[in-house]
Amino acid sequence: DGALRHKASPSEGEPTSSFISGRRRRRAHMLSVEGVVTATGGPAISFEVTAGHCIGLLGSPEAVSGLLRVAAVLSKPLSGRIRLDGLDVVSHAVAARRRLAANLSGVHQSRVTMGEYLSTIAAARTAATTRIRLPVGTLIDQLGLSRHELLSSRESRSSAALAAALLPDVPLVVLDEPFRFVRPAARAGGVEIIRALAQQSVAVLIGSSEERDARDVSHHVRRLGVEP
């Protein structure tokens, strides 16, 4: 893989693990990244993520996180354009945020339980007219977590951030290092849930510095890099 500099069609790139099978269907582009530069001197990056597709990004944590933060409408690119479901995310930031969920903001509460935290997230998204994909208790069980666990450790907070991103029923999920620091049971459950999102026509963008983490859930993997 070389540096990602050109717009890639869904059929390009490296097919990953065998969980993807069956006919490929034409799908609308849910996320379109067009010539985006996130750091001074960095490459202009272009690619598209279709509904029901997961694209994995590999590269340095700075390059990957910088791009994911722009895709999740947490920062603005130096140049270029990102469209989410047809909306320019800079011009329509509020509307774009309602259409996505991400784990990039992290979890900063340490004196609440897993159940309390996720119930608060669910209530907030419901108040913003966003449906919830799974009941909080069901999601906690699928990730092998405990409702009563305090978010006092790095592992519990990382698991809570992953769960919170998988909770809302939105068309785009953006995940940065989703399996870093999570326990094996939460990783296994997270992999299965992310794979299942393709069957629900959800677009997923995942960034990782670990190739295995990206390939376990992605239809295609791209590398972000800078020409020497």
Side-chain angles (χ1 to χ4, degrees):
D1 284 329
L4 184 60
R5 292 178 296 278
H6 304 292
K7 184 175 292 186
S9 69
S11 60
E12 293 177 350
E14 302 175 32
T16 58
S17 57
S18 59
F19 82 88
I20 299 159
S21 62
R23 295 178 301 171
R24 294 189 179 275
R25 301 187 301 273
R26 260 183 210 282
R27 300 183 176 97
H29 295 142
M30 179 55 59
L31 182 71
S32 179
V33 177
E34 305 167 1
V36 167
V37 177
T38 61
T40 302
I45 301 169
S46 299
F47 64 93
E48 291 165 337
V49 187
T50 56
H53 231 69
C54 179
I55 299 296
L57 302 178
L58 291 173
S60 69
E62 295 79 11
V64 172
S65 293
L67 180 57
L68 293 179
R69 286 187 65 81
V70 172
V73 203
L74 295 173
S75 61
K76 296 180 180 180
L78 297 181
S79 62
R81 184 183 187 189
I82 291 185
R83 289 181 295 168
L84 170 55
D85 200 14
L87 294 175
D88 183 288
V89 302
V90 174
S91 303
H92 303 279
V94 174
R97 289 190 188 105
R98 290 175 180 162
R99 289 167 166 78
L100 67 89
N103 70 335
L104 283 87
S105 297
V107 177
H108 306 289
Q109 297 93 327
S110 60
R111 297 185 178 181
V112 298
T113 66
M114 185 74 68
E116 291 169 339
Y117 175 75
L118 292 177
S119 293
T120 300
I121 296 295
R125 295 304 294 242
T126 301
T129 69
T130 301
R131 294 188 303 173
I132 299 305
R133 193 183 312 281
L134 290 171
V136 169
T138 301
L139 180 61
I140 287 175
D141 290 343
Q142 288 190 9
L143 292 174
L145 304 174
S146 168
R147 297 167 177 77
H148 307 295
E149 179 180 7
L150 283 174
L151 304 185
S152 55
S153 68
R154 181 175 62 182
E155 290 80 5
S156 62
R157 289 192 295 272
S158 295
S159 297
L162 172 60
L166 299 175
L167 191 59
D169 187 6
V170 289
L172 174 67
V173 176
V174 180
L175 300 171
D176 187 15
E177 301 284 4
F179 306 128
R180 178 179 283 184
F181 308 130
V182 303
R183 299 185 183 98
R187 185 190 191 282
V191 166
E192 291 306 312
I193 293 173
I194 294 169
R195 289 177 176 179
L197 294 180
Q199 305 302 318
Q200 303 171 33
S201 296
V202 177
V204 181
L205 183 62
I206 176 174
S208 179
S209 56
E210 296 293 332
E211 190 163 343
R212 175 199 172 200
D213 287 346
R215 290 189 178 279
D216 275 356
V217 295
S218 301
H219 293 80
H220 298 281
V221 171
R222 312 283 181 188
R223 291 184 188 273
L224 302 181
V226 181
E227 288 183 337

PDB file of all heavy atoms in Angstrom, residues 37-64:
ATOM      1  N   VAL A  37      -6.468  17.805   3.717  1.00  0.00           N
ATOM      2  CA  VAL A  37      -5.153  17.941   4.349  1.00  0.00           C
ATOM      3  C   VAL A  37      -5.397  18.303   5.810  1.00  0.00           C
ATOM      4  O   VAL A  37      -6.113  19.261   6.111  1.00  0.00           O
ATOM      5  CB  VAL A  37      -4.304  19.030   3.673  1.00  0.00           C
ATOM      6  CG1 VAL A  37      -2.975  19.209   4.399  1.00  0.00           C
ATOM      7  CG2 VAL A  37      -4.068  18.679   2.200  1.00  0.00           C
ATOM      8  N   THR A  38      -4.806  17.535   6.729  1.00  0.00           N
ATOM      9  CA  THR A  38      -5.035  17.775   8.155  1.00  0.00           C
ATOM     10  C   THR A  38      -3.822  18.318   8.884  1.00  0.00           C
ATOM     11  O   THR A  38      -3.923  18.745  10.030  1.00  0.00           O
ATOM     12  CB  THR A  38      -5.487  16.486   8.862  1.00  0.00           C
ATOM     13  OG1 THR A  38      -4.460  15.491   8.729  1.00  0.00           O
ATOM     14  CG2 THR A  38      -6.777  15.956   8.256  1.00  0.00           C
ATOM     15  N   ALA A  39      -2.658  18.297   8.234  1.00  0.00           N
ATOM     16  CA  ALA A  39      -1.436  18.799   8.864  1.00  0.00           C
ATOM     17  C   ALA A  39      -0.599  19.522   7.822  1.00  0.00           C
ATOM     18  O   ALA A  39      -0.583  19.138   6.640  1.00  0.00           O
ATOM     19  CB  ALA A  39      -0.634  17.652   9.478  1.00  0.00           C
ATOM     20  N   THR A  40       0.098  20.550   8.250  1.00  0.00           N
ATOM     21  CA  THR A  40       0.934  21.313   7.340  1.00  0.00           C
ATOM     22  C   THR A  40       1.969  20.413   6.683  1.00  0.00           C
ATOM     23  O   THR A  40       2.688  19.667   7.364  1.00  0.00           O
ATOM     24  CB  THR A  40       1.657  22.450   8.101  1.00  0.00           C
ATOM     25  OG1 THR A  40       0.669  23.278   8.726  1.00  0.00           O
ATOM     26  CG2 THR A  40       2.500  23.270   7.157  1.00  0.00           C
ATOM     27  N   GLY A  41       2.016  20.429   5.373  1.00  0.00           N
ATOM     28  CA  GLY A  41       2.944  19.576   4.640  1.00  0.00           C
ATOM     29  C   GLY A  41       2.457  18.159   4.428  1.00  0.00           C
ATOM     30  O   GLY A  41       3.138  17.359   3.786  1.00  0.00           O
ATOM     31  N   GLY A  42       1.275  17.848   4.936  1.00  0.00           N
ATOM     32  CA  GLY A  42       0.741  16.493   4.781  1.00  0.00           C
ATOM     33  C   GLY A  42       0.116  16.282   3.425  1.00  0.00           C
ATOM     34  O   GLY A  42      -0.137  17.241   2.680  1.00  0.00           O
ATOM     35  N   PRO A  43      -0.157  15.017   3.082  1.00  0.00           N
ATOM     36  CA  PRO A  43      -0.739  14.711   1.774  1.00  0.00           C
ATOM     37  C   PRO A  43      -2.212  15.075   1.713  1.00  0.00           C
ATOM     38  O   PRO A  43      -2.897  15.165   2.740  1.00  0.00           O
ATOM     39  CB  PRO A  43      -0.551  13.198   1.654  1.00  0.00           C
ATOM     40  CG  PRO A  43      -0.599  12.715   3.077  1.00  0.00           C
ATOM     41  CD  PRO A  43       0.062  13.801   3.898  1.00  0.00           C
ATOM     42  N   ALA A  44      -2.709  15.314   0.511  1.00  0.00           N
ATOM     43  CA  ALA A  44      -4.142  15.498   0.291  1.00  0.00           C
ATOM     44  C   ALA A  44      -4.773  14.117   0.147  1.00  0.00           C
ATOM     45  O   ALA A  44      -4.369  13.330  -0.712  1.00  0.00           O
ATOM     46  CB  ALA A  44      -4.386  16.337  -0.956  1.00  0.00           C
ATOM     47  N   ILE A  45      -5.733  13.814   0.977  1.00  0.00           N
ATOM     48  CA  ILE A  45      -6.304  12.472   1.070  1.00  0.00           C
ATOM     49  C   ILE A  45      -7.719  12.462   0.515  1.00  0.00           C
ATOM     50  O   ILE A  45      -8.530  13.332   0.848  1.00  0.00           O
ATOM     51  CB  ILE A  45      -6.314  11.982   2.530  1.00  0.00           C
ATOM     52  CG1 ILE A  45      -4.882  11.965   3.072  1.00  0.00           C
ATOM     53  CG2 ILE A  45      -6.959  10.606   2.643  1.00  0.00           C
ATOM     54  CD1 ILE A  45      -4.806  11.753   4.556  1.00  0.00           C
ATOM     55  N   SER A  46      -8.015  11.484  -0.328  1.00  0.00           N
ATOM     56  CA  SER A  46      -9.351  11.332  -0.898  1.00  0.00           C
ATOM     57  C   SER A  46      -9.761   9.866  -0.865  1.00  0.00           C
ATOM     58  O   SER A  46      -8.966   8.987  -1.202  1.00  0.00           O
ATOM     59  CB  SER A  46      -9.388  11.829  -2.353  1.00  0.00           C
ATOM     60  OG  SER A  46      -9.066  13.199  -2.444  1.00  0.00           O
ATOM     61  N   PHE A  47     -10.982   9.607  -0.415  1.00  0.00           N
ATOM     62  CA  PHE A  47     -11.551   8.263  -0.486  1.00  0.00           C
ATOM     63  C   PHE A  47     -13.032   8.380  -0.169  1.00  0.00           C
ATOM     64  O   PHE A  47     -13.528   9.441   0.228  1.00  0.00           O
ATOM     65  CB  PHE A  47     -10.867   7.286   0.481  1.00  0.00           C
ATOM     66  CG  PHE A  47     -11.028   7.631   1.933  1.00  0.00           C
ATOM     67  CD1 PHE A  47     -12.057   7.102   2.683  1.00  0.00           C
ATOM     68  CD2 PHE A  47     -10.122   8.474   2.550  1.00  0.00           C
ATOM     69  CE1 PHE A  47     -12.205   7.418   4.020  1.00  0.00           C
ATOM     70  CE2 PHE A  47     -10.253   8.801   3.888  1.00  0.00           C
ATOM     71  CZ  PHE A  47     -11.295   8.269   4.626  1.00  0.00           C
ATOM     72  N   GLU A  48     -13.754   7.291  -0.331  1.00  0.00           N
ATOM     73  CA  GLU A  48     -15.181   7.268  -0.050  1.00  0.00           C
ATOM     74  C   GLU A  48     -15.529   6.021   0.740  1.00  0.00           C
ATOM     75  O   GLU A  48     -14.898   4.974   0.574  1.00  0.00           O
ATOM     76  CB  GLU A  48     -15.993   7.324  -1.354  1.00  0.00           C
ATOM     77  CG  GLU A  48     -15.882   8.670  -2.057  1.00  0.00           C
ATOM     78  CD  GLU A  48     -16.363   8.624  -3.499  1.00  0.00           C
ATOM     79  OE1 GLU A  48     -16.359   7.508  -4.079  1.00  0.00           O
ATOM     80  OE2 GLU A  48     -16.723   9.674  -4.034  1.00  0.00           O
ATOM     81  N   VAL A  49     -16.514   6.150   1.603  1.00  0.00           N
ATOM     82  CA  VAL A  49     -17.035   5.016   2.353  1.00  0.00           C
ATOM     83  C   VAL A  49     -18.512   4.886   2.009  1.00  0.00           C
ATOM     84  O   VAL A  49     -19.284   5.824   2.209  1.00  0.00           O
ATOM     85  CB  VAL A  49     -16.873   5.197   3.875  1.00  0.00           C
ATOM     86  CG1 VAL A  49     -17.285   3.910   4.593  1.00  0.00           C
ATOM     87  CG2 VAL A  49     -15.450   5.577   4.235  1.00  0.00           C
ATOM     88  N   THR A  50     -18.903   3.752   1.487  1.00  0.00           N
ATOM     89  CA  THR A  50     -20.298   3.536   1.113  1.00  0.00           C
ATOM     90  C   THR A  50     -21.083   2.950   2.273  1.00  0.00           C
ATOM     91  O   THR A  50     -20.511   2.356   3.199  1.00  0.00           O
ATOM     92  CB  THR A  50     -20.401   2.581  -0.084  1.00  0.00           C
ATOM     93  OG1 THR A  50     -19.738   1.358   0.239  1.00  0.00           O
ATOM     94  CG2 THR A  50     -19.774   3.181  -1.318  1.00  0.00           C
ATOM     95  N   ALA A  51     -22.377   3.117   2.234  1.00  0.00           N
ATOM     96  CA  ALA A  51     -23.242   2.516   3.249  1.00  0.00           C
ATOM     97  C   ALA A  51     -23.074   1.000   3.228  1.00  0.00           C
ATOM     98  O   ALA A  51     -23.005   0.379   2.167  1.00  0.00           O
ATOM     99  CB  ALA A  51     -24.699   2.886   2.973  1.00  0.00           C
ATOM    100  N   GLY A  52     -22.984   0.401   4.397  1.00  0.00           N
ATOM    101  CA  GLY A  52     -22.783  -1.037   4.488  1.00  0.00           C
ATOM    102  C   GLY A  52     -21.358  -1.464   4.243  1.00  0.00           C
ATOM    103  O   GLY A  52     -21.103  -2.634   3.962  1.00  0.00           O
ATOM    104  N   HIS A  53     -20.408  -0.527   4.368  1.00  0.00           N
ATOM    105  CA  HIS A  53     -19.009  -0.826   4.114  1.00  0.00           C
ATOM    106  C   HIS A  53     -18.169  -0.322   5.277  1.00  0.00           C
ATOM    107  O   HIS A  53     -18.488   0.698   5.886  1.00  0.00           O
ATOM    108  CB  HIS A  53     -18.552  -0.140   2.830  1.00  0.00           C
ATOM    109  CG  HIS A  53     -17.870  -1.054   1.876  1.00  0.00           C
ATOM    110  ND1 HIS A  53     -18.520  -2.055   1.201  1.00  0.00           N
ATOM    111  CD2 HIS A  53     -16.565  -1.129   1.480  1.00  0.00           C
ATOM    112  CE1 HIS A  53     -17.656  -2.689   0.417  1.00  0.00           C
ATOM    113  NE2 HIS A  53     -16.472  -2.157   0.585  1.00  0.00           N
ATOM    114  N   CYS A  54     -17.098  -1.031   5.588  1.00  0.00           N
ATOM    115  CA  CYS A  54     -16.143  -0.591   6.607  1.00  0.00           C
ATOM    116  C   CYS A  54     -14.789  -0.404   5.949  1.00  0.00           C
ATOM    117  O   CYS A  54     -14.268  -1.321   5.301  1.00  0.00           O
ATOM    118  CB  CYS A  54     -16.040  -1.610   7.738  1.00  0.00           C
ATOM    119  SG  CYS A  54     -14.843  -1.136   9.017  1.00  0.00           S
ATOM    120  N   ILE A  55     -14.223   0.790   6.103  1.00  0.00           N
ATOM    121  CA  ILE A  55     -12.893   1.092   5.594  1.00  0.00           C
ATOM    122  C   ILE A  55     -11.951   1.263   6.773  1.00  0.00           C
ATOM    123  O   ILE A  55     -12.237   2.008   7.720  1.00  0.00           O
ATOM    124  CB  ILE A  55     -12.899   2.388   4.743  1.00  0.00           C
ATOM    125  CG1 ILE A  55     -13.816   2.225   3.539  1.00  0.00           C
ATOM    126  CG2 ILE A  55     -11.477   2.743   4.296  1.00  0.00           C
ATOM    127  CD1 ILE A  55     -13.390   1.160   2.556  1.00  0.00           C
ATOM    128  N   GLY A  56     -10.833   0.556   6.746  1.00  0.00           N
ATOM    129  CA  GLY A  56      -9.821   0.671   7.785  1.00  0.00           C
ATOM    130  C   GLY A  56      -8.671   1.545   7.324  1.00  0.00           C
ATOM    131  O   GLY A  56      -8.225   1.428   6.182  1.00  0.00           O
ATOM    132  N   LEU A  57      -8.217   2.415   8.192  1.00  0.00           N
ATOM    133  CA  LEU A  57      -7.083   3.289   7.903  1.00  0.00           C
ATOM    134  C   LEU A  57      -5.914   2.904   8.794  1.00  0.00           C
ATOM    135  O   LEU A  57      -6.056   2.815  10.019  1.00  0.00           O
ATOM    136  CB  LEU A  57      -7.449   4.754   8.148  1.00  0.00           C
ATOM    137  CG  LEU A  57      -8.627   5.318   7.356  1.00  0.00           C
ATOM    138  CD1 LEU A  57      -8.873   6.770   7.751  1.00  0.00           C
ATOM    139  CD2 LEU A  57      -8.375   5.218   5.855  1.00  0.00           C
ATOM    140  N   LEU A  58      -4.765   2.660   8.181  1.00  0.00           N
ATOM    141  CA  LEU A  58      -3.547   2.349   8.917  1.00  0.00           C
ATOM    142  C   LEU A  58      -2.564   3.497   8.760  1.00  0.00           C
ATOM    143  O   LEU A  58      -2.512   4.147   7.715  1.00  0.00           O
ATOM    144  CB  LEU A  58      -2.906   1.068   8.390  1.00  0.00           C
ATOM    145  CG  LEU A  58      -3.653  -0.250   8.650  1.00  0.00           C
ATOM    146  CD1 LEU A  58      -2.964  -1.390   7.914  1.00  0.00           C
ATOM    147  CD2 LEU A  58      -3.721  -0.538  10.135  1.00  0.00           C
ATOM    148  N   GLY A  59      -1.771   3.734   9.786  1.00  0.00           N
ATOM    149  CA  GLY A  59      -0.767   4.792   9.700  1.00  0.00           C
ATOM    150  C   GLY A  59      -0.358   5.246  11.074  1.00  0.00           C
ATOM    151  O   GLY A  59      -0.709   4.630  12.091  1.00  0.00           O
ATOM    152  N   SER A  60       0.390   6.321  11.122  1.00  0.00           N
ATOM    153  CA  SER A  60       0.818   6.848  12.413  1.00  0.00           C
ATOM    154  C   SER A  60      -0.404   7.343  13.186  1.00  0.00           C
ATOM    155  O   SER A  60      -1.385   7.790  12.592  1.00  0.00           O
ATOM    156  CB  SER A  60       1.799   8.000  12.213  1.00  0.00           C
ATOM    157  OG  SER A  60       1.138   9.125  11.657  1.00  0.00           O
ATOM    158  N   PRO A  61      -0.362   7.278  14.511  1.00  0.00           N
ATOM    159  CA  PRO A  61      -1.500   7.762  15.296  1.00  0.00           C
ATOM    160  C   PRO A  61      -1.861   9.215  14.990  1.00  0.00           C
ATOM    161  O   PRO A  61      -3.039   9.570  14.959  1.00  0.00           O
ATOM    162  CB  PRO A  61      -1.023   7.605  16.747  1.00  0.00           C
ATOM    163  CG  PRO A  61      -0.018   6.496  16.687  1.00  0.00           C
ATOM    164  CD  PRO A  61       0.670   6.657  15.363  1.00  0.00           C
ATOM    165  N   GLU A  62      -0.854  10.043  14.733  1.00  0.00           N
ATOM    166  CA  GLU A  62      -1.134  11.452  14.447  1.00  0.00           C
ATOM    167  C   GLU A  62      -1.884  11.613  13.138  1.00  0.00           C
ATOM    168  O   GLU A  62      -2.868  12.359  13.059  1.00  0.00           O
ATOM    169  CB  GLU A  62       0.176  12.243  14.397  1.00  0.00           C
ATOM    170  CG  GLU A  62       0.933  12.313  15.715  1.00  0.00           C
ATOM    171  CD  GLU A  62       1.718  11.039  16.011  1.00  0.00           C
ATOM    172  OE1 GLU A  62       1.844  10.179  15.100  1.00  0.00           O
ATOM    173  OE2 GLU A  62       2.184  10.897  17.158  1.00  0.00           O
ATOM    174  N   ALA A  63      -1.436  10.919  12.101  1.00  0.00           N
ATOM    175  CA  ALA A  63      -2.080  11.049  10.793  1.00  0.00           C
ATOM    176  C   ALA A  63      -3.491  10.483  10.810  1.00  0.00           C
ATOM    177  O   ALA A  63      -4.431  11.103  10.302  1.00  0.00           O
ATOM    178  CB  ALA A  63      -1.240  10.349   9.729  1.00  0.00           C
ATOM    179  N   VAL A  64      -3.647   9.301  11.409  1.00  0.00           N
ATOM    180  CA  VAL A  64      -4.957   8.654  11.418  1.00  0.00           C
ATOM    181  C   VAL A  64      -5.941   9.429  12.292  1.00  0.00           C
ATOM    182  O   VAL A  64      -7.071   9.725  11.880  1.00  0.00           O
ATOM    183  CB  VAL A  64      -4.832   7.193  11.900  1.00  0.00           C
ATOM    184  CG1 VAL A  64      -6.210   6.576  12.088  1.00  0.00           C
ATOM    185  CG2 VAL A  64      -4.023   6.374  10.902  1.00  0.00           C
TER     186      VAL A  64
END
